[in-house]
Amino acid sequence: ESYFEVTPDLRLTVGARYTEEERSGESRSIVLSPVGPWVYAKFEGQKTTYKVALDWTPDLAFTDKTLIYGSVATGYKGGGQNANASAPTFGPETVTAYEVGTKNVLMDGALQANVTAFYYDYTGLQLGQRINGGVVTRNADATIYGLEGEFAYSLGDHWLFDANISHLHTSIGTFLSED
């Protein structure tokens, strides 16, 4: 990850990561059947992820300090193994995340106001499902978006009032459920 000062009040962040993995193993669930079958699984994966972000700290007359930011980033979580013969493995999870927001200090430091909007687009979101006393992880595509607000107001040395508000929308695509 590298940071570049575009102007005195504008910073660019650029980053990348390469992940390569290989895993294998045997496992079994003995919750309901102490002589349950051994499950062998192997997983290999590789992925390049990135991040691009802009941070702007403008000098505004109505705030003590302001940060306005935006970013686009990708993420990766490798697949793995379930101790379940009907679903011995689950696939990797990837996400493309978009975020914009602002963080502000106002009224000579007495008020802090932060607002963020985000959109996450998942491919293969890893969801755990409890089945017969164990957990089986499966994949589904999903989108999650929302808004968050955090506010704190200091009324002297001994009083701090805060409020948090959020709106979240989640949509999960086709998901195979064992029950």
Side-chain angles (χ1 to χ4, degrees):
E1 190 167 282
S2 296
Y3 308 96
F4 303 96
E5 188 176 294
V6 180
T7 67
D9 59 356
L10 183 65
R11 182 174 78 167
L12 171 68
T13 303
V14 179
R17 174 180 291 170
Y18 176 74
T19 303
E20 185 174 346
E21 59 184 341
E22 181 179 322
R23 287 180 276 154
S24 64
E26 290 181 288
S27 66
R28 70 177 173 172
S29 176
I30 59 169
V31 174
L32 297 177
S33 173
V35 292
W38 283 93
V39 177
Y40 175 78
K42 182 176 181 179
F43 177 79
E44 295 178 12
Q46 59 186 26
K47 185 73 174 175
T48 300
T49 56
Y50 64 87
K51 174 183 179 178
V52 177
L54 281 174
D55 295 341
W56 181 38
T57 53
D59 187 14
L60 302 174
F62 60 89
T63 67
D64 300 338
K65 191 173 185 180
T66 294
L67 169 68
I68 299 171
Y69 60 92
S71 68
V72 177
T74 58
Y76 170 82
K77 183 172 23 171
Q81 179 179 9
N82 288 314
N84 182 310
S86 68
T89 62
F90 55 92
E93 172 182 298
T94 60
V95 64
T96 302
Y98 306 89
E99 187 172 330
V100 294
T102 182
K103 295 179 184 271
N104 303 279
V105 177
L106 305 127
M107 300 172 58
D108 295 324
L111 177 63
Q112 181 178 327
N114 305 328
V115 179
T116 303
F118 57 90
Y119 181 88
Y120 300 151
D121 185 10
Y122 284 92
T123 300
L125 177 66
Q126 296 171 358
L127 299 168
Q129 181 180 18
R130 185 166 292 282
I131 299 172
N132 297 332
V135 175
V136 173
T137 302
R138 298 194 186 268
N139 299 92
D141 294 343
T143 56
I144 301 171
Y145 61 86
L147 294 167
E148 292 180 346
E150 301 171 324
F151 306 92
Y153 179 67
S154 174
L155 187 62
D157 291 338
H158 303 288
W159 291 93
L160 177 66
F161 297 94
D162 63 8
N164 296 297
I165 186 167
S166 64
H167 170 75
L168 183 66
H169 180 270
T170 302
S171 176
I172 297 174
T174 303
F175 179 68
L176 175 63
S177 174
E178 202 160 305
D179 60 357

